[in-house]
Amino acid sequence: MSSELDDLAAAVRSVIDRRWSPAALRAAIDTPEGYDRGLWSVLCEQVGVAALAVPEEHDGVGAGVRALQVVAEELGRHLIPSPFLGSAVLATILLAETGEAELLAGLASGERIAAVAFAGDDFADRPVTVVDGRLSGTARLVLDGDLADDLLVVAGDELYLVDGAAAPRRHTPSMDPTRRFAEVDLDGAPARRVGDGARAALDRALDVACAALTAEQAGAAAQALATTVEYAGNRVQFGRPIGSFQALKHRMADMFALVESARSAAIAAGEALDRGDAGAALAVATAKTYCSEAFSAVAAEMIQLHGGIGITWEHDAHLYFKRAHSSSQLFGDPAHHLARRELSHS
C-alpha cells in the first residue's frame, strides 16, 4: 500500500465510522432506494469516490484499479449498499474505455447514477440486440438498474445510452438485501448510440469491476472474522471464553488464512490491471474464484462459531452469508472464472 492509498482508506474509514452502524445498514436496506443517499453524498463530496475512475480531463481523479479496490474493501467490511460498484466502477470504466466523455462529469460528482445492462438470465448471455435501428430484448441482473439516471446498454459491439425513465424497469429482490438488481425491458426504448468498441470495453470494465468486487469480498470476510474473534473472546461457556478452546482456535486460524490469501489475490489482480500485464485477465479470474470461495467459507464459519445467535434475524451474520453467496455469482460464478483460467492456459 502506498501512502496515497493508505490515506484514501483512512478517509473512507473516517466517514464510515462517523455515519455508519448495524442499525444504519438495516435502515438503508429498508428504504425504497436500498441505500443511504446521505452517506453516498458525503463519500462523493468529501472523499471523491465516484470520481476515482474518471479521467482527469473529465473532472475526475484518474486513479488506478488499486484505488477502487481500497474503497471497495472499506465498503465491503460493513456491507454498505451503494452505487459504487455499478456506477462509479463498472459504468464509469465502460464510458472511459469507449471514449464517451459527455456523461463522465455527472458521474464524477456522484449526482447521477449509471447502470450497465448487458446480461440475461445467465452472466454470459447477451440478450439485447438491435432490430431496425431500435433496441430489443430484456436485460436482467442490472446493478442498481431501477435507480439509475442513465442506462448504458451493450448490444453486440455497440453501446447505447437510454434515459432511465424511458425504459420499463423492475426491482428484482434477491436473497441478498444489501445488493440491488433490476430487470430492464429495452424493447423499442429510445436510445442513442455512444462510443466505440463496446465489446472490448465491456471486457475491460468487467475485469476492473471483478477486481473491485474481490477487494470488497476480502474486506467483508475480514470483518466477519473480526466479529467472530470478538464474540469468541467474550462468550463464556464452562467457565471460560469459548475462544480459548483449541478446536475453535484452529477454525479461526483457518479463517484468518483464507482472509489473508483472499486479500493477497485481490491486490495481485488490481496491480496486474494497473500495470497492464498480459496475464491480468488470468489474475482477475484467479482472484474472483478464490475470493468467492474464501468469503463463502468464512461467512459460513461465522454463523457456526456464533452458535444459536448466528442464525437469528437480528444478528448480522446472515447478511454476510447472503452477501458472500450473491457476490460469488456476480460477474460470473467460480466455474465461469475457472473456465477462463483454463482457456488462458490452453
Side-chain angles (χ1 to χ4, degrees):
M1 290 276 285
S2 67
S3 60
E4 290 85 359
L5 293 180
D6 284 334
D7 291 343
L8 176 59
V12 175
R13 198 177 304 122
S14 175
V15 172
I16 292 172
D17 289 344
R18 292 197 315 268
R19 300 183 60 97
W20 200 251
S21 66
L25 172 59
R26 307 278 178 149
I29 61 181
D30 285 338
T31 63
E33 297 86 2
Y35 73 100
D36 186 333
R37 285 184 177 269
L39 175 63
W40 176 245
S41 295
V42 172
L43 286 169
C44 293
E45 293 167 6
Q46 296 186 9
V47 186
V49 298
L52 289 174
V54 177
E56 293 181 79
E57 59 268 27
H58 302 304
D59 300 324
V61 177
V65 179
R66 283 291 296 122
L68 298 173
Q69 287 187 310
V70 165
V71 175
E73 183 175 357
E74 296 302 325
L75 296 178
R77 290 184 194 279
H78 304 282
L79 307 182
I80 296 176
S82 78
F84 179 73
L85 186 61
S87 182
V89 179
L90 182 60
T92 299
I93 293 293
L94 180 59
L95 287 172
E97 287 292 314
T98 55
E100 176 56 38
E102 182 180 340
L103 301 174
L104 286 173
L107 296 186
S109 68
E111 295 177 358
R112 296 185 70 82
I113 295 173
V116 182
F118 64 94
D121 291 322
D122 181 80
F123 170 77
D125 181 28
R126 301 289 182 265
V128 184
T129 58
V130 180
V131 179
D132 296 328
R134 299 182 71 83
L135 296 178
S136 177
T138 299
R140 296 179 171 84
L141 303 175
V142 182
L143 266 177
D144 303 315
D146 59 325
L147 306 175
D149 302 292
D150 303 300
L151 291 170
L152 302 175
V153 183
V154 178
D157 197 37
E158 297 179 335
L159 180 65
Y160 291 86
L161 173 64
V162 175
D163 184 341
R169 303 177 290 176
R170 294 171 291 280
H171 170 51
T172 52
S174 68
M175 175 185 69
D176 176 14
T178 68
R179 189 87 74 189
R180 195 173 184 92
F181 297 100
E183 180 178 282
V184 182
D185 183 3
L186 296 160
D187 285 334
R192 176 170 66 88
R193 186 175 180 272
V194 296
D196 294 301
R199 191 185 302 273
L202 179 63
D203 289 342
R204 164 70 180 179
L206 286 172
D207 274 346
V208 175
C210 276
L213 179 57
T214 61
E216 179 194 283
Q217 290 171 309
Q223 185 61 38
L225 170 60
T227 301
T228 303
V229 170
E230 180 182 15
Y231 176 78
N234 294 331
R235 175 73 166 92
V236 175
Q237 196 168 15
F238 306 114
R240 55 191 287 197
I242 63 173
S244 65
F245 299 146
Q246 192 69 24
L248 298 193
K249 287 181 180 181
H250 284 308
R251 291 174 70 171
M252 286 183 281
D254 289 341
M255 293 169 69
F256 177 78
L258 287 171
V259 168
E260 291 300 300
S261 298
R263 190 164 187 269
S264 294
I267 291 173
E271 290 182 342
L273 287 169
D274 279 339
R275 290 191 303 263
D277 289 355
L282 175 60
V284 171
T286 300
K288 182 59 167 67
T289 301
Y290 188 84
C291 291
S292 294
E293 294 178 346
F295 184 19
S296 295
V298 169
E301 282 286 79
M302 179 189 194
I303 290 177
Q304 288 289 324
L305 296 182
H306 273 77
I309 194 175
I311 61 171
T312 61
W313 185 258
E314 292 74 19
H315 199 278
D316 286 345
H318 72 95
L319 294 175
Y320 281 87
F321 184 80
K322 292 171 180 176
R323 172 67 78 88
H325 284 275
S326 72
S327 296
S328 73
Q329 303 300 307
L330 185 58
F331 305 142
D333 61 14
H336 170 83
H337 289 283
L338 281 172
R340 288 183 67 193
R341 281 173 50 87
E342 294 300 324
L343 184 61
S344 67
H345 285 304
S346 61

